[in-house]
Amino acid sequence: MTHVDVHPLVSPWGRFGLYSFFIDAPEPAIVDTGIATSPAEGMAPALEAIGRRIEDVRWILLTHGHIDHLGGAHALWELTGRRAQVVVHEADAPFLRSRRAHVDEYLDGRGQYLHDPEGEQKQIATGEAAISGELEPTVLVTGGETLSLGGDVKVSVHAIPGHTAGSVAYVLDGQNAVLVGDGVQVHGAANAFPSYVDPVAYRSSLRYLRDVIRPQNLYLGHPYRTAEGVPYGVELDAEQARAALQQSLDIEARIDDAAWRRLRQGLQETHSPYSPFAAVAEELGYHGDPTLEPSPFFTTMHGYRTSFADEPAGTTGSSFA
Ligand SMILES: [Zn+2]
């Protein structure tokens, strides 16, 4: 199979660097799209610098439905003359179709704990500014599909739920280059806490990547941090990929352990900014600002709270990695 190059394309956004990846296939693909301004301001000049044209892109592959990954999708699709296929997992497709879906997700999850009276308005404003347009995907996936990028270049789609319900990994067949977006969190990015809505699914997706996929190269959506707080780059070799997956599992196990023991005692409303999960933050020694959006601490704690509520009565503990 022909070896194809994968190029990171960076677009700035506030505290974050947003990473998209260009797959230099006969039918070129871009994995993740940043926000509304990213295609014109970040991707087009970066592609020009390597002698490629944004209008030739034929595949827009979305790893998941967060604003900073799909906000630029409509703008990019327009720049391709609406000829690119737009691929997303069906569980995250509502976030591509509707700005409102992002607001509702906020209100149903982390927004419950942030007690910000302007939270909903801020989310609406962010969606207006950062999402270039509402868009119906052309290809809905659930994992297990293979996409042909022209010639003998193929990308297989693997469901890796956890960070979101519809997170996927795109794997370049033959060279085992694996693009996961935010599916591998290690210690998180700017807020120094990993973000996942479903801890049980996150754990099994990490094991699947570590034990079954075994990436030769792993491409991350942000420079996630190690235990020492040092960011990984976004392009990892096989050894770094294995370390990042193992560290992600180890951290999840620590959080699971603390959350399980503390949340069993019930939620405790206090004046702490971590309320009602202050005991978990204290046990983990977490000192980050939990109100900084996208607020991974509350997203993840809500995930544990929900998953424990789903456990059948009489269960004595959750599984440990
Ligand atoms: Zn994300």
Side-chain angles (χ1 to χ4, degrees):
M1 204 168 297
T2 316
H3 181 94
V4 294
D5 291 328
V6 177
H7 299 273
L9 310 171
V10 191
S11 311
W13 187 39
R15 294 173 291 123
F16 297 98
L18 303 182
Y19 289 86
S20 303
F21 295 92
F22 177 71
I23 301 178
D24 198 5
E27 295 178 20
I30 286 183
V31 178
D32 289 339
T33 63
I35 55 162
T37 52
S38 302
E41 293 177 9
M43 294 175 202
L47 287 176
E48 212 178 299
I50 58 168
R52 298 292 183 269
R53 304 187 320 160
I54 203 161
E55 53 264 46
D56 295 333
V57 168
R58 288 294 168 271
W59 294 90
I60 298 170
L61 307 177
L62 300 170
T63 60
H64 66 295
H66 283 161
I67 281 180
D68 54 328
H69 293 256
L70 61 62
H74 190 279
L76 176 56
W77 183 64
E78 290 285 355
L79 288 171
T80 69
R82 302 189 166 194
R83 284 184 294 178
Q85 303 283 342
V86 183
V87 184
V88 70
H89 190 286
E90 67 177 18
D92 278 13
F95 298 111
L96 187 62
R97 295 187 181 116
S98 151
R99 287 186 174 93
R100 182 68 209 179
H102 297 268
V103 183
D104 291 339
E105 195 225 11
Y106 167 87
L107 294 173
D108 291 344
R110 63 196 189 278
Q112 293 178 49
Y113 312 102
L114 289 166
H115 304 297
D116 179 356
E118 289 162 22
E120 181 172 1
Q121 287 310 313
K122 287 182 195 162
Q123 292 295 322
I124 291 170
T126 300
E128 284 299 324
I131 298 176
S132 53
E134 298 179 332
L135 184 62
E136 181 61 32
T138 55
V139 182
L140 283 175
V141 293
T142 56
E145 297 84 357
T146 299
L147 311 172
S148 176
L149 271 48
D152 61 357
V153 178
K154 292 190 169 46
V155 166
S156 57
V157 184
H158 299 259
I160 52 163
H163 176 66
T164 65
S167 291
V168 298
Y170 295 103
V171 180
L172 264 165
D173 289 357
Q175 63 195 79
N176 214 18
V178 182
L179 300 104
V180 293
D182 300 348
V184 178
Q185 288 273 310
V186 206
H187 271 266
N191 284 17
F193 203 88
S195 178
Y196 38 89
V197 296
D198 183 339
V200 177
Y202 181 63
R203 194 180 306 149
S204 66
S205 293
L206 290 170
R207 287 178 181 152
Y208 176 73
L209 288 165
R210 182 192 64 183
D211 301 336
V212 179
I213 301 284
R214 302 162 67 92
Q216 186 62 37
N217 293 99
L218 184 68
Y219 296 90
L220 306 176
H222 304 279
Y224 289 108
R225 297 175 187 213
T226 67
E228 295 76 38
V230 182
Y232 279 98
V234 296
E235 300 175 272
L236 277 54
D237 65 21
E239 193 179 327
Q240 292 168 323
R242 191 169 169 78
L245 288 164
Q246 188 57 51
Q247 287 185 8
S248 298
L249 277 161
D250 294 346
I251 295 153
E252 192 285 319
R254 277 188 59 218
I255 301 173
D256 177 71
D257 177 44
W260 173 253
R261 283 184 288 104
R262 297 302 190 157
L263 295 189
R264 222 169 15 169
Q265 295 155 14
L267 299 180
Q268 290 168 334
E269 295 288 348
T270 63
H271 291 296
S272 161
Y274 305 96
S275 173
F277 307 109
V280 183
E282 190 182 338
E283 178 158 339
L284 292 169
Y286 178 59
H287 300 295
D289 179 353
T291 67
L292 265 187
E293 277 286 87
S295 188
F297 178 77
F298 285 127
T299 296
T300 298
M301 282 302 122
H302 183 66
Y304 282 104
R305 181 188 171 189
T306 311
S307 83
F308 295 153
D310 291 344
E311 299 258 354
T315 310
T316 53
S318 63
S319 59
F320 295 87

